Structures are given as C-alpha cells and as structure tokens.
Amino acid sequence: MSSSHPLHSLYTDHGAWLRNWLRAKLGNAWDAADLAHDTYVRILQAGTRPAAEDSRRYLVQVANGLMIDLFRRRRIEAAYLEALSVLPEAQAPSEESRALAVEALLELDRLLHKLPAKARQAFLLCKLDGLSYRDIAAQLGVSVSSVEKYIAAALQACCLALYQP
C-alpha cells in the first residue's frame, strides 16, 4: 500500500493502537494481529474511510464485528468437535471433511441469524429437537399457523441459499 493510499494513514496512525486494543480484548497477540489485519482488509474492501476524528471508533466497530465472528466460529467448531468425539475413531471424518463441515455449519449459522428470532428458534426446535409444530407453538407462545409460517420462511431461506449464486 503506497503512502498516498487513504488507508495508509489510518494504518500508520492507528495500527499499533488497534493491535493493542485487540490484544487486551482477546488475551493474545496472534489473534489480535490477525483481527487487526482483517479489520483493515474489511475497510479496504468496503472502500470506506472514516473522518479522522472517528477513526478509532470506526476501527473498533469493524473489529468488534470480526471478534463476534471469531467467537461464533470457535463456538461452532467446538460444538462440532464435541459431537465428533463420541464417534469411534474409525468413523471420524478426515481433516478436509471436518473443515468443509465447519464451513457449512458457519454458513447455516449466518443464514439462520438473518431470520427473525422466532423463525430461527422454531426452525431449530423442529429440526434439531424434533418438536411438533404444536409443541413449538406452545413453547414460543404463538399459534400453530405462525409456526408453519416460521418454518416455511426458514426453509425458503435455506433453499435460496442453496440454489442462488
């Protein structure tokens, strides 16, 4: 990045500060360095540049979003690995299969978090817990027809994610 690039001054003025701030939040320098890098990449991709007086607030906002993504990813990976731990070693998937499964789970998580909370909850209660629509309706305090609509919306979102580029 040349010194004339608008991101250059943002990086030189605040890069060390951002890494230190992230290190304090994350507890280690490696994750802090990775997220600081990803923060600047995200800003570069977005093509935005905050006003000088808003630089640190903007960096924190972007970095916080990336931290949430990191924690969510780790939580999903840990849950997946815990589920795999009960399998006999001969049935354990390869590293490549694990990586693909984690990516698919992360994509599904992103998709479900775009849904309204009740639609997401209804879908998970149905598909993961195997509850009937009537039981889901009772648990959510809504009608069975609302549950039908929630499940339909979730399934539609899944289908669109599968079949649209």
Side-chain angles (χ1 to χ4, degrees), residues 53-114:
E53 64 273 9
D54 294 330
S55 295
R56 287 190 176 180
R57 187 166 41 87
Y58 186 72
L59 288 167
V60 165
Q61 181 181 5
V62 174
N64 267 326
L66 292 169
M67 271 195 297
I68 290 168
D69 291 347
L70 174 68
F71 294 146
R72 180 177 286 144
R73 178 182 187 90
R74 286 183 177 167
R75 191 179 69 247
I76 289 170
E77 285 176 320
Y80 177 66
L81 291 175
E82 183 180 329
L84 289 180
S85 70
V86 300
L87 291 177
E89 194 171 321
Q91 292 180 346
S94 68
E95 287 298 319
E96 181 182 1
S97 294
R98 281 191 221 183
L100 291 171
V102 167
E103 286 305 315
L105 289 169
L106 289 167
E107 184 60 33
L108 181 60
D109 182 66
R110 280 189 289 275
L111 175 113
L112 292 176
H113 275 85
K114 291 178 184 175

Side-chain angles (χ1 to χ4, degrees), residues 9-165:
S9 63
L10 184 66
Y11 181 78
T12 56
D13 293 347
H14 304 290
W17 173 84
L18 180 61
R19 283 188 304 280
N20 288 332
W21 183 83
L22 284 164
R23 187 175 334 141
K25 294 287 184 190
L26 297 168
N28 72 72
W30 299 278
D31 287 337
D34 285 347
L35 282 187
H37 173 269
D38 292 348
T39 298
Y40 286 102
V41 168
R42 179 79 49 98
I43 293 168
L44 185 63
Q45 289 172 337
T48 58
R49 173 76 163 86
E53 64 273 9
D54 294 330
S55 295
R56 287 190 176 180
R57 187 166 41 87
Y58 186 72
L59 288 167
V60 165
Q61 181 181 5
V62 174
N64 267 326
L66 292 169
M67 271 195 297
I68 290 168
D69 291 347
L70 174 68
F71 294 146
R72 180 177 286 144
R73 178 182 187 90
R74 286 183 177 167
R75 191 179 69 247
I76 289 170
E77 285 176 320
Y80 177 66
L81 291 175
E82 183 180 329
L84 289 180
S85 70
V86 300
L87 291 177
E89 194 171 321
Q91 292 180 346
S94 68
E95 287 298 319
E96 181 182 1
S97 294
R98 281 191 221 183
L100 291 171
V102 167
E103 286 305 315
L105 289 169
L106 289 167
E107 184 60 33
L108 181 60
D109 182 66
R110 280 189 289 275
L111 175 113
L112 292 176
H113 275 85
K114 291 178 184 175
L115 294 172
K118 285 194 176 183
R120 178 176 57 251
Q121 196 172 3
F123 181 75
L124 293 173
L125 288 170
C126 177
K127 297 301 178 186
L128 296 181
D129 296 339
L131 295 182
S132 69
Y133 285 14
R134 183 177 310 281
D135 291 338
I136 295 168
Q139 189 164 337
L140 297 181
V142 298
S143 67
V144 172
S145 66
S146 290
V147 172
E148 290 170 347
K149 290 175 188 169
Y150 295 153
I151 301 292
L155 289 171
Q156 181 181 28
C158 290
C159 285
L160 289 174
L162 277 174
Y163 298 110
Q164 285 186 343

